[in-house]
Amino acid sequence: MSKGIVFWPEQASAHAVSVDWLIASFGAMVWLLTLPVFVFMILFVWRYRRTQTVNREHAPTHNMWVELSWSGIPFILTIIFYIWATSLYADLRAAPANPLTINVVAKQWMWKFQHPEGPREINNLHVPAGQPVKLVMTSQDVVHSLYFPALRIKEDVVPGTYTMLWFNANKPGRYPLRCAEFCGADHSTMGGALIVMDGADYTEWLDQRQGEHNNPAPAEQGARLFRQNGCAACHNRSNNAFAPALTGLFGTPVSLSGGAKMIADERYLRRAIMLPNAEVVMGYRPIMPSYANTFDEEQINALIAYLKTDMERHK
Ligand code: CUA
């Protein structure tokens, strides 16, 4: 399959189309502001060349309207681009409610994905078309960066914390995914494919994977870890003397001792497990031990998946 030289990656989402319009328009503006400079430069070099007898007296030194327009017009244009680009960027930071959340763990040199129903995959990521997908990402070793050229999105994947990406791919197909941060010897091989499927095909794919491997859903695995590690001894609904109950916590604001407020998102919950005394809930003492050496990244993902459920179902 020969496509010749590709200047512009395929567009697999509405966001990709918006980004391309921004880039193309910005390119047009740069031409608009730069081209006249070169045109007049060449014109004047030609007109006032040495052998030419022309009037070389000083021309008028001042023209207010010319000066106002050549500073005012570029200023307004660049401000328009600033607002346009910022609003696109802000969209990337705000995932819609109830996305399909997929966990991503990067390591030298592979991408590990886990779907909420349980199926795992390496380097390939299957997603349904026309549905918001949110990636909650972390790294087991060094900084990586997950890059989807066809979606025009990219985000660093950092050990010790979560970063997020979201997208709504609307065109079924197979698109490249890459690591965009030099992460060691085999960095250039760290990639795979984003496979965008119709909703029904995706469901079928999930069922088939589940039939082959039968991975427990992260929430179920999390419920088991919660039980096995005795979390409920302190975090239970009937007795909140030592620790807050966790049912219904996800996504709600939490008041911390010291007066600050935080939203209990994935990043907050992760810190609460790994560095429990960094942010202590108001009214409680910092007595929870760290589980940093107990759980690996996939187990923390599982615990958080469990905390997102109503928790009762899994008991
Ligand atoms: Cu991972 Cu480059």
Side-chain angles (χ1 to χ4, degrees):
M1 186 176 66
S2 164
K3 285 187 182 171
I5 300 168
V6 178
F7 287 106
W8 212 253
E10 276 186 272
Q11 299 164 324
S13 68
H15 177 80
V17 175
S18 309
V19 169
D20 289 354
W21 272 111
L22 175 72
I23 301 294
S25 313
F26 194 79
M29 183 191 71
V30 170
W31 277 106
L32 186 76
L33 298 182
T34 315
L35 208 59
V37 174
F38 284 88
V39 167
F40 281 107
M41 198 169 78
I42 291 161
L43 217 66
F44 289 151
V45 163
W46 177 253
R47 184 174 158 83
Y48 294 101
R49 67 192 186 277
R50 199 170 170 189
T51 53
Q52 199 71 348
T53 44
V54 283
N55 177 5
R56 290 170 199 277
E57 275 175 43
H58 278 299
T61 56
H62 208 82
N63 183 324
M64 191 175 68
W65 289 109
V66 168
E67 290 184 14
L68 273 182
S69 63
W70 81 34
S71 33
I73 293 170
F75 175 74
I76 292 165
L77 282 174
T78 44
I79 289 294
I80 290 170
F81 277 100
Y82 170 73
I83 294 166
W84 185 0
T86 306
S87 82
L88 274 182
Y89 184 79
D91 284 349
L92 286 182
R93 302 285 123 186
N98 302 319
L100 167 67
T101 302
I102 294 175
N103 291 119
V104 182
V105 178
K107 61 174 277 199
Q108 289 167 321
W109 286 277
M110 63 175 75
W111 295 103
K112 299 191 281 186
F113 301 102
Q114 186 169 27
H115 297 254
E117 293 82 359
R120 296 163 183 277
E121 46 185 339
I122 288 178
N123 290 343
N124 288 339
L125 174 60
H126 291 73
V127 297
Q131 190 181 329
V133 175
K134 178 178 162 190
L135 304 178
V136 177
M137 313 186 291
T138 190
S139 166
Q140 253 172 255
D141 38 47
V142 300
V143 179
H144 303 269
S145 178
L146 185 53
Y147 176 35
F148 299 97
L151 303 171
R152 313 290 190 269
I153 55 172
K154 174 165 72 172
E155 182 66 56
D156 279 3
V157 179
V158 182
T161 187
Y162 287 134
T163 52
M164 325 274 179
L165 265 181
W166 84 269
F167 58 85
N168 188 338
N170 55 15
K171 213 173 103 197
R174 191 185 175 89
Y175 309 97
L177 70 86
R178 313 225 74 90
C179 180
E181 176 77 44
F182 181 67
C183 55
D186 287 342
H187 155 72
S188 63
T189 65
M190 191 172 163
L194 169 74
I195 297 121
V196 180
M197 312 170 94
D198 281 330
D201 292 347
Y202 173 73
T203 314
E204 196 179 309
W205 175 86
L206 271 183
D207 289 346
Q208 194 197 334
R209 287 291 284 210
Q210 204 53 339
E212 286 165 14
H213 300 279
N214 199 26
N215 287 312
E220 277 166 41
Q221 195 200 345
R224 198 164 55 237
L225 290 166
F226 197 83
R227 249 189 339 263
Q228 285 166 352
N229 289 276
C231 305
C234 296
H235 293 285
N236 63 48
R237 285 219 288 187
S238 44
N239 181 356
N240 294 341
F242 298 110
L246 303 176
T247 309
L249 172 68
F250 185 80
T252 62
V254 181
S255 300
L256 304 177
S257 55
K261 269 200 171 163
M262 286 182 88
I263 298 290
D265 59 3
E266 288 94 348
R267 202 174 295 165
Y268 169 86
L269 293 174
R270 182 201 162 85
R271 278 174 68 84
I273 298 167
M274 308 293 265
L275 301 165
N277 300 330
E279 286 111 15
V280 177
V281 175
M282 174 130 23
Y284 290 96
R285 291 191 301 124
I287 52 173
M288 174 168 159
S290 166
Y291 285 83
N293 298 321
T294 311
F295 299 127
D296 65 26
E297 292 300 342
E298 272 145 36
Q299 290 173 317
I300 298 166
N301 283 337
L303 277 167
I304 293 171
Y306 171 54
L307 296 179
K308 286 182 185 175
T309 67
D310 64 9
M311 295 176 73
E312 299 303 315
R313 229 157 26 94
H314 295 275
K315 278 199 171 151

